[in-house]
Amino acid sequence: MRAFWTVVHRWAGLTVALFLIVAGLTGAVTSWDHELDEWLNADIMETPGRGPLQQPFVLAGKVAAADPRVEVNYITLGLEEGHAAQFLVRPLTDPATGKPFVLDYNTVYVDPVTAQITGTRDSTAISLSRRSLMPFLRHLHYSLHVPAFWGTDRWGYWLMGAVALVWLLDSVVAFYLTTPRRLRARAADDTAPHRSPATWWQRWKPSWLLRWAAGGYKLNFDLHRAGGLWVWGIIIVVAFTSFSLNLYREVFYPVMSLVSKTTPGPYETQTPAPFGTYVRPVVGFEQAVAIAKKEAVQRGITSPIGGIYYGGDYSFYNVSFFDPADEFGTAGMGLSNLYVDGMNGSIIGQHKPWEGTAADVFVQLQFPLHSGRILGMPGRIMMSFMGVMVAMLSVTGIVIWERKRRARRLQAHKLKAVRP
């Protein structure tokens, strides 16, 4: 049986190894995405204006007026002096062609005091430039930048979700393979002297140790086996949350709903519009914000309103409430949302951290667990370390396979040479 699981571990690990190297290294960096992004792009994200803040919708109007080819679909509502307000835009339809205008940007940064546009960028660009580096790494981490085809842009998410599921199952197999084999029963007529058998833990203990002086292949093997054991619990959490976040709508939430009581929101109950189409709302941004502010008071949401988004693939506004200075809040659970129907202005759902059924809270915890933010700064440091560890375990696994493959070929060659 162990031989069978060894083969399963070998080929499952090799199948996902390259994906995990990319995911691990990008995850190690994107644990600090906001800080690194602001450092790389301080020229457009830090603003010189000082004084009274302008109204968010005035700033949104400036963005729309600056380029008649676009309309705003995300508005920053939590403005801060010295920090650029971020606005997302989508292309309008070109009357001459009947197709959307081709843009080289989808994000605009505006000084909230002077209303001057400080810069733009395309957050979907495949580029290592300082403007695009952090968004590029984020998309690479969870979707590999796989382009849209056959009517959906979800292929990359599905691929990395499947990789995470294989990784999760393979990690359980790997743990089993580190445990000691069963001791063979001693024959009744065996009279040879023998020592008392070592305990199960004594036989398992070497799996947790590194033979630093051994060097070469033995050290590589120990790094793979012992390294995986010491961080195994965290690997299970990261692998599971990678699966749950990428295959949330397709697998994770439907299964959760079958085994536990959940409170579905509009993302779970509504079917998105066909890819490439846009559902135009009847209710405007300002009206949706006014509705959400009033409702937030009645529902006990105390965080300030932070932003509003309308994607057009769903027919509702996502209004976010968070502290601009600490968007993720304590334990990574500082974000609340109200969902306002874009057709009639009704509230069709909410997200409030730590509220709902046990299953609802478990769903909410997926991103804080995955990012390490549930433990604050120590958690983020741990997840950066884990990203490097995942890459290391993948590389050492490939080295083990290659060395064994080479040894098997050499042995086969020797056998062939001695045959008459």
Side-chain angles (χ1 to χ4, degrees):
M1 195 65 177
R2 184 179 288 262
F4 168 78
W5 290 116
T6 299
V7 172
V8 169
H9 176 58
R10 177 191 307 148
W11 292 109
L14 287 172
T15 300
V16 301
L18 293 180
F19 296 106
L20 294 182
I21 291 171
V22 172
L25 295 179
T26 54
V29 176
T30 55
S31 290
W32 313 96
D33 55 350
H34 289 316
E35 292 85 351
L36 290 172
D37 209 7
E38 290 178 0
W39 173 65
L40 290 169
N41 297 288
D43 58 318
I44 64 174
M45 294 186 179
E46 295 180 3
T47 57
R50 296 295 182 269
L53 299 171
Q54 300 208 26
Q55 291 297 315
F57 295 108
V58 172
L59 301 179
K62 294 281 187 179
V63 171
D67 189 344
R69 301 175 302 164
V70 307
E71 66 178 354
V72 176
N73 62 347
Y74 174 82
I75 299 175
T76 296
L77 301 172
L79 304 180
E80 297 179 277
E81 184 184 75
H83 296 275
Q86 176 179 291
F87 297 85
L88 300 183
V89 298
R90 60 174 297 273
L92 294 170
T93 300
D94 184 350
T97 64
K99 298 180 179 179
F101 285 105
V102 177
L103 306 176
D104 61 358
Y105 71 98
N106 67 351
T107 312
V108 182
Y109 295 90
V110 184
D111 189 321
V113 174
T114 66
Q116 295 298 309
I117 293 176
T118 59
T120 64
R121 73 172 174 187
D122 182 1
S123 65
T124 65
I126 301 176
S127 170
L128 296 177
S129 69
R130 66 190 179 101
R131 283 283 184 264
S132 302
L133 179 60
M134 296 314 299
F136 166 73
L137 292 179
R138 281 194 295 269
H139 285 286
L140 188 64
H141 179 70
Y142 55 73
S143 71
L144 295 180
H145 280 281
V146 175
F149 60 95
W150 289 346
T152 181
D153 60 353
R154 295 285 298 169
W155 294 104
Y157 296 87
W158 295 340
L159 171 61
M160 292 304 283
V163 165
L165 186 56
V166 172
W167 181 29
L168 176 65
L169 299 176
D170 186 44
S171 296
V172 176
V173 173
F175 184 88
Y176 160 72
L177 292 176
T178 69
T179 58
R181 297 173 182 270
R182 288 183 180 181
L183 292 175
R184 292 182 178 180
R186 183 178 173 83
D189 59 350
D190 186 358
T191 59
H194 65 280
R195 294 176 298 174
S196 352
T199 65
W200 189 86
W201 165 244
Q202 288 172 329
R203 290 185 291 121
W204 194 28
K205 184 178 178 181
S207 297
W208 295 79
L209 303 178
L210 294 174
R211 292 168 289 182
W212 292 105
Y217 176 76
K218 289 182 179 180
L219 179 58
N220 181 87
F221 181 83
D222 288 349
L223 285 170
H224 186 75
R225 182 177 62 178
L229 273 175
W230 282 104
V231 298
W232 185 82
I234 305 174
I235 285 177
I236 292 298
V237 171
V238 175
F240 182 86
T241 54
S242 298
F243 150 72
S244 68
L245 292 170
N246 268 49
L247 296 178
Y248 174 80
R249 183 182 177 91
E250 295 83 358
V251 181
F252 176 67
Y253 193 84
V255 172
M256 283 289 297
S257 300
L258 290 175
V259 301
S260 185
K261 183 180 180 181
T262 57
T263 308
Y267 284 111
E268 291 77 38
T269 57
Q270 291 193 10
T271 301
F275 180 72
T277 62
Y278 183 80
V279 181
R280 187 158 296 280
V282 175
V283 175
F285 273 88
E286 292 191 58
Q287 185 180 355
V289 167
I291 293 169
K293 282 183 175 179
K294 182 178 179 181
E295 193 69 25
V297 174
Q298 298 176 359
R299 293 175 181 243
I301 297 177
T302 57
S303 299
I305 192 166
I308 180 172
Y309 174 74
Y310 185 84
D313 49 347
Y314 292 93
S315 60
F316 60 84
Y317 290 92
N318 184 339
V319 186
S320 304
F321 297 81
F322 57 88
D323 180 357
D326 184 16
E327 179 178 348
F328 295 102
T330 304
M333 296 279 278
L335 181 69
S336 298
N337 303 83
L338 289 178
Y339 306 107
V340 181
D341 193 296
M343 301 298 116
N344 57 31
S346 62
I347 300 295
I348 57 175
Q350 71 171 24
H351 164 91
K352 287 184 68 178
W354 305 113
E355 290 195 9
T357 66
D360 293 335
V361 174
F362 181 66
V363 169
Q364 295 168 13
L365 284 170
Q366 296 307 294
F367 176 74
L369 285 169
H370 185 75
S371 64
R373 294 179 186 274
I374 194 167
L375 298 177
M377 184 63 72
R380 296 173 67 189
I381 295 172
M382 178 182 68
M383 285 305 172
S384 283
F385 170 75
M386 281 301 303
V388 176
M389 283 293 295
V390 168
M392 183 276 290
L393 293 171
S394 299
V395 171
T396 52
I398 293 173
V399 171
I400 291 170
W401 167 75
E402 173 57 24
R403 290 289 297 272
K404 289 186 175 181
R405 184 177 72 96
R406 191 184 310 167
R408 287 193 295 269
R409 285 186 171 183
L410 181 60
Q411 183 66 22
H413 179 73
K414 288 180 178 179
L415 291 174
K416 184 177 180 181
V418 298
R419 286 175 182 169

